[in-house]
Amino acid sequence: MLPDPSERAALLRRREHLARALGGAPAVMASSRPRPRNYAADQFPFRAASHFLYLFGLAAPDGMGVYDGEAWTLYLPDPGPDDALWDGEVPGFAEVSERTGCPVRSRSALPEALARAAKARAVATLPTPDLETCADLAALLGREVRPGRLLPQDVPLADAMVALRLRHDDVAQAQLRRAAEATTPAHLAGMRATRPGVLEAVVRAAMEAEFVSRDVRPAYQPIVTVHGEVLHNLKYHHVLREGDLLLADVGGESPGGFACDVTRTWPVTGRFSTTQRELYEVVLCAQKASIAAVRPGVRYRDVHLAAHREMARGLVALGILHGDPEELVVDGLTALLFPHGIGHLLGLDVHDMEDLGDRAGYAPGRERSKEFGHRYLRLDRDLEPGMAVTIEPGLYRVPAILGDARLTARAGDRLDRAVLERYSDVRGIRIEDDVLVTAEGHEVLTAAIPKEASDVEAAVMAGR
Amino acid sequence: MLPDPSERAALLRRREHLARALGGAPAVMASSRPRPRNYAADQFPFRAASHFLYLFGLAAPDGMGVYDGEAWTLYLPDPGPDDALWDGEVPGFAEVSERTGCPVRSRSALPEALARAAKARAVATLPTPDLETCADLAALLGREVRPGRLLPQDVPLADAMVALRLRHDDVAQAQLRRAAEATTPAHLAGMRATRPGVLEAVVRAAMEAEFVSRDVRPAYQPIVTVHGEVLHNLKYHHVLREGDLLLADVGGESPGGFACDVTRTWPVTGRFSTTQRELYEVVLCAQKASIAAVRPGVRYRDVHLAAHREMARGLVALGILHGDPEELVVDGLTALLFPHGIGHLLGLDVHDMEDLGDRAGYAPGRERSKEFGHRYLRLDRDLEPGMAVTIEPGLYRVPAILGDARLTARAGDRLDRAVLERYSDVRGIRIEDDVLVTAEGHEVLTAAIPKEASDVEAAVMAGR
């Protein structure tokens, strides 16, 4: 719940940077209330709002950090009379203050402090994912607070948070590394647990057990499926069969709340078929080409297009597509098989700062494409040192796409369905790593997880 | 997501009962929206509101069931254009209608249908745990909808739901049994995984893996702790040490959303010390005496008091308390060591229908005690066949209680602290089972999970 003492200086720096960017304008940043699952006392595991976590490193419910134009103060609920019985001791205000480097006061003093701060200028805030805290903020500030909506005074705050969180400082990078370290054994355990006849859920259980046993939480709902062609498939009830590929998109969350996001695809039998291996190599080549393109100054959309071009070359070589690779990309043929973006920002959120819409992902003046397959690209900035991104090309045979004449019309006979049909033992392949942009180029944070076809096979066979 | 075909008749019956109880008054019951964790697309696992689940058996986001005074109709969102790509095929309206036995229409038709239903009489509803759906309901009905608050027209609906859900029909009982069946291997795995030197999290991982591998979800956040004296301890970072007792309060949720709620306490070494075993037997005797008292017509508060009396006798026998057992209970001495209620209703919620406050747990005219240790009793009804309750006495040495002079003043020298000190290797013991009230008496749904001291020891040693 408390930040590590080693993070104190970074937390102070982050709040100082933000204060400077705000230029004396007051702001309040809220953590979150516990979210009820069935009823008030039956809750989902508590997760503080990412902006609050970034500034205070504190996973405490119902906290609010206030910048009054001069200094930061953290307001926390007073302990209730029965808290010690039901929830145990929580750190006192003095300890929280020491760890966060921020004065702490009782939340009961918050309304007065906010009223004082609001006298001169409108108080900025960022909506939290939970509506209850939004309602608290709305009541405190006498204004609307809703996820996805910013008032004019919030825009400089949002822009300042984006500017801060875009480039990860040393403490954030260390957290990203810890998330990646926790994710490696999960993928290895998933590969080892894979065998024909068991449920997808059995592999998921083996992967999650590696998180839970380390007191790590999944950063997002895991995808563990033999139907990788359903991109966000959250069902786990299929039996693994010989000849299936299993796609696992599973990442852990560091103690400080930073995400890892990794996908591997492996054969249930432990051996790729010839056709599976051919397509796997196409995706892997595209992934390596994209990763190789990651360095400061490169536009992320060009990394996305590099993957499409590499994929076009591979698909032409296999005879699935016909024509000039560059044209095939421009005409959207690769998007029929690779319909999502090459990746996204990674940080405290698995799609970092997606709560602010495209403000984080798209540089000012850039807009999402309207084209199928490119409109899902969540990031289009020039890369800078300290940014973390995912690189996650995939190849899928999606009936809803390949059967949609409006989408496939432009393909004509450049999409060779007879050849594609030979690859019917592939429904979906995705290979995803987390990549940190460095001054020199990049560092793959998730390099320890097998991805060469033969390494993946060996990892699966290690469970036999 | 869909109810089993075998549940159709029961769903029809439940809705028909409710309609009769409403006597022509219109009502709308909502499932829930997916709840965002970090941002809109990063969500907690979806859980439909329990009242909706009870009536439709359908774990579908954003559904609303409307009773217009004559018939039920289910309104579901139309599939979006990209759903098949991202989320896969969802069952069509015809299939949902077939399985639920209820006509299904597009949610776009809901406002008009509600307006029609509202013409004659105010539309009743029950708030969902998520505020977003509450806001939807408020907008649709032009009224306030907030968790924990009922308007006058909602009260008959709430009372009718309580009357229905209090006594579990065959389908509900079968779901409770499935939840119990999924929980047995989790506790056995937890016992087997226990050894000195590992984290509490390792035992939790072993328990949850049994759920996840069966595609079962925990019904509530698991408690797996060597600090059982913190009643809702949700931390898992302690190392298990020789001489520790581990308390695990862990239960699974059936496919239809029904809960199991079980606690066992076992020795980390696999052998209770003499002192641990003595207190364990006191709790076990109290638990057995309470379970024996469960039958139709018995007032649940008397089951609670039976546990206290049995515990008083045991503690007097050990010399921890001195005096007449009955008086010790009345004077609140047992509550110093057993400060919570003997249990609660169990059903689609682990504290069933706690969203309606004490309306479900307390019979009309009965109120919560103000006494320490009894004010946490969540249920005080006369037991009826079909009710499911937990029976979960515990013994805890809670510093916040035993060090509070206001609470211990009445004890005088009847609490023998010197003798209690000899039991310093016990911090918390709880033994909890789920008990169904039957016409003949009761059935323990969770009887397959070891609880005799020697059986528990054997189950732990099976992992060595």
Side-chain angles (χ1 to χ4, degrees), chain A residues 58-91:
Chain A
L58 186 71
D62 226 6
M64 295 219 182
V66 174
Y67 178 66
D68 63 5
E70 287 178 6
W72 286 94
T73 307
L74 192 52
Y75 292 85
L76 295 177
D78 296 301
D82 294 349
D83 283 5
L85 172 60
W86 293 94
D87 305 316
E89 297 295 337
V90 294

Side-chain angles (χ1 to χ4, degrees), chain A residues 35-39 43 47 82 85-88 129 201 212 221 230-232 253 348-351 354 376, chain B residues 35-39 43 47 82 85-88 129 201 212 221 230-232 253 348-351 376:
Chain A
R35 258 72 64 80
R37 183 180 188 265
N38 292 31
Y39 52 88
Q43 300 163 349
R47 175 57 156 71
D82 294 349
L85 172 60
W86 293 94
D87 305 316
V212 178
Q221 291 189 69
V230 177
L231 301 183
H232 280 178
E253 189 174 88
L348 275 162
D349 309 306
V350 64
H351 298 164
E354 194 167 290
Y376 299 117
Chain B
R35 258 72 62 80
R37 183 181 188 265
N38 292 29
Y39 52 88
Q43 301 164 348
R47 175 57 156 70
D82 294 348
L85 172 60
W86 292 94
D87 306 315
V212 178
Q221 291 190 67
V230 176
L231 300 183
H232 280 178
E253 187 174 89
L348 275 162
D349 308 307
V350 65
H351 299 165
Y376 299 117

Side-chain angles (χ1 to χ4, degrees), chain A residues 229-248:
Chain A
E229 78 280 14
V230 177
L231 301 183
H232 280 178
N233 202 336
L234 298 178
K235 294 180 186 139
Y236 315 98
H237 64 287
H238 298 106
V239 174
L240 310 188
R241 306 212 179 277
E242 307 238 357
D244 278 341
L245 291 178
L246 186 71
L247 183 154

